[in-house]
């Protein structure tokens, strides 16, 4: 039985990451050389996106055969193995940031546009599974571009396992693509939930509170700490709702619902501009477009947490 489909943006990645095979350099080289291999070029971390063929069809990722990459694929290009797709074709991401204007000159001229992933996800005109793969590609590529040196001894490190790790040839240390966990939680008390807003957000928008996890704490402890630090609220129970890869640049959003013990808000005005308890009916009204608070966009896991609360969960 596969996992049930998640409503959360950037979840539902369909790839088989071939963890038992990708450590074999010969196998990996054969996948790279295979005529059925598909490559998505990323230019300054923005993937190539093809125009819509027919109105309403949605847009497609620029998955290209190796030959179509032309001179953009160099021997020293950063090429990452993402995994095998449902048709058992190997998928790779390739950094083409060395090109100066790839939409106008070179092998990708006239094919489409290199687009920011967050903006692309917000448009809603691409399949969710494809966005999940692009989130993976962006997160992995960004990590390699920023982690070229061993954190132990400072020597230049080398890619291993198709990009799933880096190895230091000097001291032998292995480094793995980092994921920074963030807890994001909706505290509830009876028929109200706690929402906050940061300075600079769109007018009237309120959302779930969030913060980075710290070393030596559990998810539940991080949720309790953040709610207390930011709003002075104590919680007695924490329930996991769902997770969201958030490759801006390397987060994993851990969505939770928390039972609050108290309702007295003590605001940390460095973190938040305002926080308030909002009635379920007002959250429901917001989802129905009937006023109340302005809710975060659908691509944010806070949207899903607030929807869960509005639906009585
Ligand atoms: Zn080292």
């Amino acid at each position: 039985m596969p996992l049930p489909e998640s409503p959360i943006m950037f979840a539902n990645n369909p790839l088989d990451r071939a963890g038992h095979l990708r450590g074999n350099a010969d196998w990996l080289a054969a996948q790279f050389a295979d005529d059925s291999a598909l490559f998505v070029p990323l230019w300054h971390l923005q993937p190539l996106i093809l125009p819509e063929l027919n109105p309403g069809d949605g847009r497609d990722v620029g998955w290209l055969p190796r030959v179509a990459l032309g001179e953009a694929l160099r021997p020293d290009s950063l090429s990452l193995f993402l995994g095998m797709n449902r048709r058992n074709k190997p998928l790779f991401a390739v950094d083409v940031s060395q090109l100066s204007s790839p939409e106008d000159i070179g092998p990708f001229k006239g094919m489409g546009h290199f687009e920011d992933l967050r903006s692309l996800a917000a448009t809603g005109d691409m399949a969710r599974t494809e966005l999940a793969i692009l989130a993976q590609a962006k997160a992995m590529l960004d990590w390699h571009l920023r982690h070229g040196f061993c954190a132990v001894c400072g020597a230049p490190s080398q890619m291993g396992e198709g990009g799933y790790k880096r190895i230091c040839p000097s001291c032998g240390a292995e480094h793995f693509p980092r994921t920074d966990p963030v807890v994001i939680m909706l505290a509830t008390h009876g028929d109200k939930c706690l929402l906050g807003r940061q300075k600079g957000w769109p007018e009237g928008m309120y959302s779930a509170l969030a913060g980075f996890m710290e070393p030596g704490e559990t998810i539940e402890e991080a949720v309790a700490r953040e709610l207390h630090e930011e709003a002075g609220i104590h919680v007695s129970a924490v329930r996991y709702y769902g997770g969201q890869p958030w490759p801006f640049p390397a987060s994993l959003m851990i969505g939770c619902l928390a039972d609050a013990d108290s309702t007295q808000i003590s605001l940390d005005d460095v973190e938040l501009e305002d926080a308030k308890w909002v009635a379920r009916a007002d959250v429901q009204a917001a989802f129905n477009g009937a006023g109340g608070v302005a809710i975060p966009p659908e691509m944010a896991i806070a949207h899903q947490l607030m929807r869960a609360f509005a639906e009585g969960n």
Side-chain angles (χ1 to χ4, degrees), residues 1-5:
M1 280 281 285
L3 289 172
E5 191 177 320

Side-chain angles (χ1 to χ4, degrees), residues 242-300:
Q244 179 180 45
W246 189 251
F248 309 105
S251 292
L252 170 67
M253 307 301 286
I254 301 171
C256 295
L257 296 160
D259 296 341
D261 266 356
S262 59
T263 55
Q264 179 68 41
I265 294 172
S266 170
L267 194 68
D268 173 357
D269 55 13
V270 176
E271 295 274 349
L272 295 175
E273 182 181 81
D274 188 27
K276 61 183 179 181
W277 291 96
V278 178
R280 195 190 308 269
D282 289 336
V283 179
Q284 289 167 340
F287 275 100
N288 294 330
V293 293
I295 47 185
E298 193 185 348
M299 68 183 287

Side-chain angles (χ1 to χ4, degrees), residues 159-201:
M159 204 173 83
E161 290 199 15
Y164 281 90
K165 66 177 172 182
R166 295 189 73 86
I167 304 156
C168 175
S170 178
C171 75
E174 294 186 336
H175 304 281
F176 297 89
R178 69 184 273 176
T179 299
D180 300 331
V182 174
V183 286
I184 178 163
M185 55 275 165
L186 198 62
T188 63
H189 191 274
D191 235 15
K192 291 188 165 82
C193 70
L194 180 70
L195 299 178
R197 62 170 279 114
Q198 295 175 11
K199 292 185 185 77
W201 280 9

